[in-house]
């Protein structure tokens, strides 16, 4: 099996007990794929510190500017499952390069956008590109490494995803401070363009895909049911914003989304029963660890997005920090995440269960501590306290995220690689949108209640931190039931 260049394995397929060697060219290919994945995750996390700057520069109102993040996430989620299936049909390399090209083009549009509406449109297309390329990344990585060697690279990729989620605001704050001015946020998209051109050029040369088992047929009706299920079911939650607690206004739309979800499930079951290929084959979740791994990923990414957003806006609005100072407060946590990722990468796969469970428990309890800090800490002490707790949270995330992804995919066969990978990413993006929406509605909805932080009311942040902590405790409970 070959993927990533013209080299073959430096050793022939070994007998049992011998070491399998992966050529350096394929490791370089792996790095290219992970780098492109990192760009898509960077675009989820980087704009939290740039909201005010973007609003001043483009003249958009708060809801329009918030659509930048929400639109990207929803488009990302909507494209993932169909793209995973299309990759299985057309070949992952071709679909990967199409997604990369779309991502790059839309990044250029975002960087040059003259107003908020162009920016929102560019972000939506950017999300589609990310959703198209991401499942191919996982599928191609599974082709590079044989099953017995996949645990470590998949764990490393999961660790990279978690690290980029936390490093995103740090990098964004530094870049905006260096660039200066109201248009400093544009440089966050120029990073996508410059790095993306290099990575895509390398991918075009290096990524090669051998033939594999493929089934024909694309469930177009399933796709048409899935898209409104995501947009109507998740979008209204994500768009609840400052002071808007009138949830009943969006309830009918959410119910429509749930109806589309039920129709999508029925459609996929019937498609599979008729021996046709569905967008999401629900029997796939019978593969060991995959079903629970998908759920755990969803809850963890609800925390990753919602928790990072909570810490970022709290430091700016309650401790009065600017973008760069906020980023620097979060920097030690990023280092802790890298250390945790390197720690689990050196451990055996049979310890993954313990890492997943206890990492989430550690993070969940730590977010309860964040809630307490919002209730008792002064504005002067809040950055130090939150930065310290965030180190513990990041370490817990690092030791649980990458083992969960590796464990979830370890038993998935090659021909299901793209769809299985896209199901995990789908859960992550939907979890991110829900986490962000719930954090915002709790944060702002209870923000005027009398629990002071440095003279400022903070019941909203207190309750939002508890919500995020519950997400991680739910993830730990789900993982606990997946013991070998």
């Amino acid at each position: 099996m070959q993927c990533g260049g013209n080299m073959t394995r430096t050793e022939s397929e070994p007998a049992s007990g011998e070491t399998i060697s992966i050529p350096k060219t394929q490791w370089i290919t792996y790095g290219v794929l992970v780098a492109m994945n990192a760009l898509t995750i960077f675009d989820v996390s980087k704009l939290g510190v740039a909201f005010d700057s973007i609003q001043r520069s483009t003249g958009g109102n708060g809801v329009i500017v918030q659509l930048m993040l929400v639109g990207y996430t929803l488009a990302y989620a909507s494209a993932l499952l169909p793209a995973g299936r299309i990759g299985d049909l057309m070949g992952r390399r071709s679909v990967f390069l199409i997604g990369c090209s779309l991502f790059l083009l839309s990044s250029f549009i975002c960087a040059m956008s003259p107003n908020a509406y162009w920016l929102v449109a560019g972000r939506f297309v950017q999300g589609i590109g990310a959703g198209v390329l991401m499942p191919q990344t996982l599928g191609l990585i599974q082709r590079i490494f044989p099953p017995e060697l996949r645990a470590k690279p998949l764990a490393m990729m999961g660790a990279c995803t978690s690290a980029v989620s936390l490093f995103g605001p740090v990098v964004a704050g530094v870049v905006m401070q260096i660039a200066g001015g109201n248009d400093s946020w544009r440089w966050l998209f120029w990073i996508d363009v410059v790095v993306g051109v290099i990575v895509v050029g390398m991918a075009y040369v290096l990524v090669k895909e051998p033939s594999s088992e493929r089934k024909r047929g694309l469930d177009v009706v399933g796709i048409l049911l899935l898209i409104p299920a995501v947009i109507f079911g998740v979008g209204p939650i994500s768009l609840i914003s400052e002071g808007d607690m009138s949830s009943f206004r969006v309830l009918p739309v959410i119910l429509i989304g749930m109806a589309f979800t039920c129709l999508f499930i029925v459609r996929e079951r019937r498609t599979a029963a008729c021996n046709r290929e569905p967008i999401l084959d629900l029997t796939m979740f019978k593969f060991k660890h995959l079903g629970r791994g998908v759920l755990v990923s969803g809850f963890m990414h609800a925390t990753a997005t919602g928790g990072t957003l909570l810490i970022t806006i709290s430091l700016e609005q309650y401790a009065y920090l600017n973008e760069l100072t906020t980023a620097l407060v979060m920097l030690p946590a990023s280092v802790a995440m890298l250390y945790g990722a390197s720690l689990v990468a050196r451990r055996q796969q049979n310890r993954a269960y313990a890492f997943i469970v206890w990492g989430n428990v550690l993070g969940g309890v730590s977010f309860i501590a964040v809630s307490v800090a919002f209730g008792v800490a002064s504005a002067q002490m809040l950055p130090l306290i939150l930065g310290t707790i965030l180190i513990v949270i990041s370490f817990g995330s690092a030791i649980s995220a990458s083992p969960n992804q590796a464990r979830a995919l370890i038993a998935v066969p090659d021909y299901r690689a793209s769809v299985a990978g896209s199901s995990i990413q789908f859960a992550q993006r939907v979890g991110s949108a829900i986490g962000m929406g719930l954090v915002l509605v709790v944060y702002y909805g209870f923000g005027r209640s009398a629990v002071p932080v440095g003279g400022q009311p903070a019941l909203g942040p207190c309750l939002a931190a508890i919500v995020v902590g519950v997400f991680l405790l739910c993830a730990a409970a789900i993982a606990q039931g997946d013991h070998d």
Side-chain angles (χ1 to χ4, degrees), residues 311 329-330 332-333 336 366 369-370 381-395:
I311 298 297
V329 169
M330 302 175 74
S366 297
V370 168
M381 290 299 298
L382 192 62
L384 176 61
I385 295 174
L386 291 186
T388 302
I389 299 175
L390 196 58
I391 291 173
V392 181
I393 293 171
S394 299
F395 180 79

Side-chain angles (χ1 to χ4, degrees), residues 43-44 51 65-74 123 436:
D43 272 66
V44 175
F51 273 1
V65 174
Q66 188 177 326
L67 274 171
M68 289 182 310
L69 186 57
V70 176
Y72 177 86
T73 304
L74 292 179
R123 286 285 287 173
M436 179 180 63

Side-chain angles (χ1 to χ4, degrees), residues 326-345:
T326 298
L328 293 177
V329 169
M330 302 175 74
L331 182 59
S334 303
V335 176
M337 179 166 283
L338 291 178
Y339 173 74
S342 66
L343 178 67
V344 298

Side-chain angles (χ1 to χ4, degrees), residues 93-124:
R93 180 182 183 274
S94 298
V95 179
F96 173 77
L97 292 174
I98 291 171
C100 290
S101 301
L102 197 59
F103 185 85
L104 284 178
L105 177 61
S106 55
S107 296
F108 178 80
I109 293 173
C110 290
M112 297 294 293
S113 56
N115 54 52
Y117 297 100
W118 273 95
L119 183 57
V120 169
R123 286 285 287 173
F124 189 85

Side-chain angles (χ1 to χ4, degrees), residues 204-274:
Y204 183 82
V205 174
L206 290 171
V207 175
K208 309 294 180 184
E209 184 183 13
S211 59
S212 61
E213 179 182 349
R214 296 175 187 168
K215 295 184 179 181
R216 296 183 178 182
L218 181 64
D219 183 13
V220 177
V221 175
I223 295 175
L224 295 177
L225 291 173
L226 174 65
I227 293 174
V230 173
I231 294 176
F232 295 151
V234 180
I237 300 174
S238 306
L239 290 175
I240 295 174
S241 189
E242 298 187 23
D244 183 8
M245 291 296 292
S246 56
S247 301
F248 288 106
R249 282 194 290 175
V250 300
L251 182 58
V253 181
I254 296 175
L255 291 176
I256 292 172
M258 293 175 63
F260 273 106
T261 301
C262 293
L263 291 173
F264 173 74
I265 293 173
V266 171
R267 168 69 186 184
E268 298 307 280
R269 287 185 179 275
R270 289 183 177 178
T271 301
C274 295

